[in-house]
Amino acid sequence: MLKSKRIVTDKEVLVKVEGLSKKFCKNLKTSLWYGVKDLVSGVTGSTQERKLRSKEFWAVKDINFELRRGQCLGLIGHNGAGKSTLLKILNGLINPDEGKVTIKGRVGALIELGAGFNPILSGRENIYNNGAILGFSRKEIDDKLETIIEFAELEEFIDMPVQHYSSGMKVRLGFAVAAQMEPDVLIIDEVLAVGDLGFILKCFKTIDAILPHTAVIFVSHNMPMISRICNHIILMEKGEAKFQGENVSKGIDYYYNKFLTDEKANVVFTDNSVSLNNASVLNVECIDSCYNIKWGSSIQLNLKIENYNLTRKPYISLAVYDKEQRAIAEIYPDNQSFDAIKKDTTIEYLVSLEHIYLSKGIYNITLNVSEDAAFNVHYKLHKAITLKVEHEKQMWTPFLLNSKLINSSSK
Amino acid sequence: MALETRIYQKERTIKFGALLKASLGDMYQSRFLAKQLAERDIKAMYRQSYLGIVWAFIMPLTTAAVWVFLNSSGTIRLSDTGIPYPVYAFSGTLIWSIIVSSINSPMQSTQAAKGILTKINFPKEALLLSGVYKLLFDSSIKIVLLVLFVFFYGVGFQWSLLLFPIAMLGAIVFGTTLGLFLTPMGLLYKDIGKIITFGMQFLMYVTPVVYAIPKTGIMRTIMIWNPITPIVVTARDLVVGFTPEYINYFLIVLVGCIPLLFLGLIIYRISIPIIVERLSA
């Protein structure tokens, strides 16, 4: 393991980015006028420094990194953080305003699949159009045609006009052509989100095959995917690198924390018979509306519910959601009784949760109040409680099970 | 294996020689792409149309027909042109239509590729070349029709007709050069395209397209100084077998276009990233 890592670091630097900055203009008319000025100064070769003009802002500010063959850089950040602009500069579509990019080798970009497709023409003809734009020669396409059609699984429809393809079919055809590139540097921007599962798995197989001998720059909002393939990460915010380094999980953590502040509980259903008054974790301090607990610890949830017009104690259940809003666990507390209660009272529940083996991260708990288990819901509230599980290990599966080695032998 | 190295930074020094070399190199490299793009557009255009090729010459044909009618009905009185008027008018409107589409070509080709320009890095010169390919395709169809005209009206075959493609190339080179200079601005502001359409209408009347150069007067001076005049006149003279009287002027314009064309290519190369930035911002 150590040895292979050393070999990787010895490989040549393919992408070098130094102090890269780019500015954009907020207003269209002004932007066009600045375009005219830039045209003039571009053609005459004026050397004056480019400062921010009025209505301009830095879309990308002072980005630095180096990428070697075999490395994969993940670029994450909110919408409008400057990721795509950075990719455009790296791809040579627009010039930086400051700084320098040095790229060695053949650059491939998976930014738009199926560029140059004409809807009227058949799939076969469009393979040539798309391939030509991606820089293939006619002979190369001739040779790869069968492979491409087979990869796209479109043998039956290849002579049909592309306008009658479904969007998934178009993407498949586009990716099949792009997959034939043998780039030294590969730029990927959120194109793999479409297509069915089988196709996505196929894409990953292709990318995994390319990865070891390519420098990859990968933009995505899909954190599990980022953590799966990247060994470097840059978290961008307002054009700047907020976090940068080899600790991918830490970067992802920062990214998620950005979303935490505006999370409030929200009622998704109520028949106005009950409402949650207060929810807390016993003996745990609440920091930033979030309860920090240790992995594997046991906790007690305290739920105070206002009863307006129920005459029987309701059934409560909880569901655990991760940061991507995937449901990962459900909680049906035992020992619930349906005693008679008075209207306009407060019901207090104390629920114990034993050994929480959720892996490190933030989890929201949804509260469900109903007449009986899975019957006649009175009230449903998202994010009743937010838990933050602490552990030194970062992982992308929702659970880290408690385990230890009890024997190991070698023969 | 040495890897090709690209450097992107704010350009501080501009070496025209290097830029031109890169531009022409890219154009040569992208022959296949250009051909593919032209083929795509032509196929797509004809596949979705019944009249297809007719649209290529319907404009010059109708303009010529209008003038033939005006002339034959005596609505207007035109000076004698020395050849059957329909041949005169059609050869004029035809070469004119080639010039107009050449001027529009670089801008249209680039504009049409806006979607991929902002996403994929490919040699942009391919767009210009594909525009030229499309022009050549359209123009060759027009020539076939012109030849039919020439025989139908009894002008007969002239050896000089074989030189007509040179005049046609002259028209394309002139138009493309002019169009290339207008392209960067035209991509930023829609006004430029409108001005071209608008301006060319007027320009036609100060060029001997449907009537001959008058013997005297202000119109004669304007027409003679108009650099499009030698292209139109020379083209027509070659068709009907007259000695091309403006051949020297024609050659001067053509030779003058070459350095300007190169300059246009350099400007185009520099301006594309600037324009892409404004289109995609």
Side-chain angles (χ1 to χ4, degrees), chain A residues 22 42 50 91 101 103 105, chain B residues 4 6 8 10 14 121 277:
Chain A
K22 180 78 205 170
R50 287 195 180 181
N91 200 7
V101 180
I103 294 190
Chain B
E4 178 199 3
R6 304 174 196 223
Y8 303 121
K10 182 180 183 293
I14 297 203
N121 196 354
E277 176 186 334

Side-chain angles (χ1 to χ4, degrees), chain B residues 71-209:
Chain B
N71 188 36
S72 62
S73 63
T75 320
I76 49 165
R77 191 163 302 279
L78 297 173
S79 51
D80 183 37
T81 53
I83 50 171
Y85 185 69
V87 173
Y88 187 94
F90 185 64
S91 59
T93 53
L94 188 131
I95 198 84
W96 183 257
S97 77
I98 294 177
I99 294 173
V100 172
S101 33
S102 309
I103 293 175
N104 285 318
S105 163
M107 201 156 91
Q108 272 170 3
S109 304
T110 316
Q111 186 83 37
K114 216 163 98 171
I116 49 173
L117 272 178
T118 57
K119 303 252 166 53
I120 291 182
N121 196 354
F122 62 99
K124 281 67 171 181
E125 281 76 11
L127 297 173
L128 301 177
L129 197 57
S130 84
V132 172
Y133 284 159
K134 280 189 270 179
L135 287 171
L136 287 175
F137 178 81
D138 270 10
S139 308
S140 6
I141 295 168
K142 289 174 185 172
I143 291 182
V144 173
L145 192 73
L146 181 66
V147 171
L148 291 178
F149 247 73
V150 163
F151 284 100
F152 184 78
Y153 283 97
V155 175
F157 176 77
Q158 310 291 334
W159 282 105
S160 60
L161 191 62
L162 296 180
L163 291 174
F164 182 77
I166 294 176
M168 189 187 83
L169 277 178
I172 292 177
V173 169
F174 176 84
T176 308
T177 306
L178 192 59
L180 211 45
F181 278 95
L182 297 169
T183 301
M185 282 298 281
L187 289 173
L188 286 179
Y189 293 105
K190 301 270 177 207
D191 309 53
I192 306 293
K194 306 268 183 216
I195 292 172
I196 294 176
T197 320
F198 186 72
M200 289 313 280
Q201 271 177 5
F202 286 101
L203 219 50
M204 193 177 100
Y205 296 105
V206 292
T207 314
V209 174

